[in-house]
Amino acid sequence: MNLISIADLSAEGILEVLDRADELKERRGDPAFRSVLAGKSLAAIFEKPSTRTRVSLEVAMTDLGGHALYLSGKDLQLGRGETIPDTARVLSRFVHGIAARVRSHSTIVELGRHSAVPVINALSDLEHPCQILADLMTMRERFGRLSGLKVAWVGDGNNVCNSTILASALMGMEMRVASPPGYGPNRKILDLAESLGGGVAVVADPAEAVCGAEVVSTDTWISMGDEAEAAERLAAFGPYQVNSDLLAHAKPEAIVMHCLPAHRGQEITDEVMDGPSSAILDQSENRLHSVKAVLEWLLV
Ligand code: CP
Ligand code: NVA
């Protein structure tokens, strides 16, 4: 098994991971967990920067009694042209799992194809499944359910949006996406969501997406790899800022989510990010608990 797309898990599989993540959070520090991954190693390859994903993977492995190796893409022989299949085959002889943050989704797919050990997508340009498990955990903590939750995504139809769309389809959530023309979610992801039983409404007006929402989520307008388009993106995304005026269209009990890192004053204001509706720090913390459940599922 791999976790390359959030759709690699069924709805039941997601709920099992979330139940275990809740338990790991509740009983954090319980000595019983220190042997869960005893003797196990994880190769964590990063072709792009990371704070939360890297730290959550490393701390999760340590807390569960295992060991993570941080491998920068440019320091590996991969950076000098060693092939992805050879890298996958060799690492499989050393470690029990491979996590990789990659520039191109095709890299993680190829790693998965040639690895004899489970492969975890630590973010690609197409998806970010580890993030979405933490997001689902946070939504369930706040609302006690996922099914039927009204989720609005405002801004770029990016990797995090794509995984949220698939998760919404799997978990029976109602999702609306508001993006500027040309920056909507990936067509294949929308089709896959449809085939999983959950249609997603894609609209242009952010207020329409947020109207009656229980969860309002956003992310940077300039993802890693999009830097060359920064000027045109900043011009296109202006009306898609999550601010107090926009949030006024959501339900009073709505929570605001952001996977971080945030560009304060661009996609989200300080007022919203630090305000009473923000679930962002819990969401960030839940990266640790949820990835522990993923590592246990895949490496034990
Ligand atoms: N949310 C997230 O994946 O953060 P990092 O880029 O810091 O890992
Ligand atoms: N969409 C962002 C997420 C960062 C965690 C990016 O890919 O840069």
Side-chain angles (χ1 to χ4, degrees):
M1 275 299 292
N2 294 321
L3 181 62
I4 289 176
S5 165
I6 189 66
D8 290 342
L9 278 162
S10 62
E12 295 70 35
I14 288 176
L15 290 175
E16 275 174 35
V17 167
L18 298 184
D19 286 347
R20 182 60 170 162
D22 287 346
E23 190 181 6
L24 288 158
K25 180 173 185 176
E26 175 128 358
R27 290 172 46 208
R28 188 174 182 193
D30 187 327
F33 295 140
R34 283 191 215 131
S35 53
V36 169
L37 294 180
K40 307 274 186 187
S41 296
L42 177 80
I45 300 172
F46 284 84
E47 291 186 342
K48 294 173 175 175
S50 170
T51 298
R52 283 142 286 268
T53 306
R54 174 181 177 179
V55 174
S56 61
L57 282 167
E58 292 196 24
V59 173
M61 286 301 293
T62 303
D63 281 1
L64 298 180
H67 174 63
L69 297 99
Y70 171 77
L71 303 168
S72 154
K74 62 179 186 313
D75 294 337
L76 287 170
Q77 295 289 11
L78 199 55
R80 291 181 56 246
E82 185 167 14
T83 68
I84 296 163
D86 284 346
T87 304
R89 289 183 196 113
V90 169
L91 287 177
S92 299
R93 299 287 179 109
F94 292 125
V95 297
H96 304 87
I98 300 171
R101 168 165 287 197
V102 295
R103 277 186 292 275
S104 165
H105 191 72
S106 61
T107 303
I108 193 92
V109 171
E110 207 176 354
L111 274 172
R113 194 174 297 135
H114 297 280
S115 172
V117 298
V119 169
I120 298 169
N121 181 355
L123 180 147
S124 70
D125 55 344
L126 189 68
E127 276 209 57
H128 197 0
C130 295
Q131 179 66 51
I132 267 42
L133 287 168
D135 297 359
L136 295 175
M137 181 178 176
T138 311
M139 292 178 206
R140 210 170 65 145
E141 277 176 351
R142 295 297 184 111
F143 294 102
R145 69 191 162 93
L146 293 174
S147 180
L149 268 189
K150 292 183 172 53
V151 178
W153 179 275
V154 181
D156 195 14
N158 63 13
N159 43 9
V160 179
C161 177
N162 289 336
S163 291
T164 310
I165 288 171
L166 294 177
S168 293
L170 284 164
M171 306 316 293
M173 298 168 354
E174 287 176 36
M175 187 166 171
R176 269 175 280 176
V177 178
S179 304
Y183 295 101
N186 181 287
R187 186 69 254 165
K188 285 191 183 144
I189 294 283
L190 291 171
D191 291 344
L192 178 56
E194 190 91 41
S195 74
L196 292 170
V200 174
V202 181
V203 300
D205 178 9
E208 187 185 340
V210 169
C211 183
E214 288 153 311
V215 177
V216 178
S217 195
T218 190
D219 185 15
T220 179
W221 295 336
I222 305 161
S223 283
M224 293 178 276
D226 291 337
E227 292 81 0
E229 302 170 8
E232 61 213 70
R233 283 176 166 268
L234 287 177
F237 279 96
Y240 292 80
Q241 183 185 66
V242 175
N243 54 36
S244 302
D245 287 346
L246 185 64
L247 200 54
H249 296 276
K251 285 199 172 161
E253 68 273 26
I255 59 168
V256 173
M257 303 188 78
H258 191 310
C259 65
L260 302 179
H263 300 74
R264 289 168 174 263
Q266 290 185 13
E267 74 273 6
I268 191 165
T269 56
D270 284 336
E271 193 186 10
V272 169
M273 201 158 149
D274 304 326
S277 302
S278 175
I280 293 170
L281 284 177
D282 287 347
Q283 178 188 3
S284 194
E285 178 188 330
N286 287 339
R287 292 293 308 272
L288 174 64
H289 310 300
S290 54
V291 89
K292 282 183 184 175
V294 168
L295 290 164
E296 185 183 18
W297 159 48
L298 288 172
L299 269 55
V300 170

